[in-house]
Amino acid sequence: MPQSGVEATPMTFKANWSKRNHEHLPIICLLSIYLVAAFIYSVVTPSFEASDELWHYPLIKRLADGQGLPVQRPDQIGPWRQEGSQPPLYYALGA
């Protein structure tokens, strides 16, 4: 027996479910628009023409070839430029 004396009916549950979904509608719309835009950008942009893709690839290639992480030196700029000093998990997964 419920303590408050009010029983939960399927209709009450449905009304609460609908109310909660409407609260999240703006964020769901924004997320959907973002995902569609990101997908279109990834399909339309040719390979190696994104802003820094040319510098990500050499670092992933280096890791895939088993050469390990590069040592960053201010007097030497490798083909990966500043990307070699970023956290390596992304690159390890790509390799």
Side-chain angles (χ1 to χ4, degrees):
M1 255 178 96
Q3 295 177 357
S4 64
V6 178
E7 292 185 28
T9 64
M11 199 59 159
T12 309
F13 177 75
K14 187 176 181 182
N16 288 339
W17 178 258
S18 177
K19 186 177 181 181
R20 279 185 284 182
N21 282 344
H22 289 308
E23 290 174 357
H24 299 296
L25 190 60
I27 192 72
I28 291 171
C29 288
L30 285 174
L31 183 59
S32 299
I33 291 169
Y34 169 76
L35 290 174
V36 168
F39 176 76
I40 291 171
Y41 178 79
S42 70
V43 170
V44 172
T45 304
S47 296
F48 297 109
E49 290 194 21
S51 62
D52 59 354
E53 193 170 342
L54 286 174
W55 302 314
H56 288 288
Y57 179 77
L59 183 56
I60 292 173
K61 177 84 169 101
R62 178 185 169 99
L63 290 175
D65 291 343
Q67 297 176 5
L69 293 171
V71 176
Q72 293 291 101
R73 296 187 179 129
D75 58 334
Q76 295 177 345
I77 298 177
W80 43 81
R81 298 192 184 187
Q82 78 276 4
E83 306 304 331
S85 62
Q86 292 185 5
L89 180 60
Y90 167 80
Y91 300 102
L93 292 174

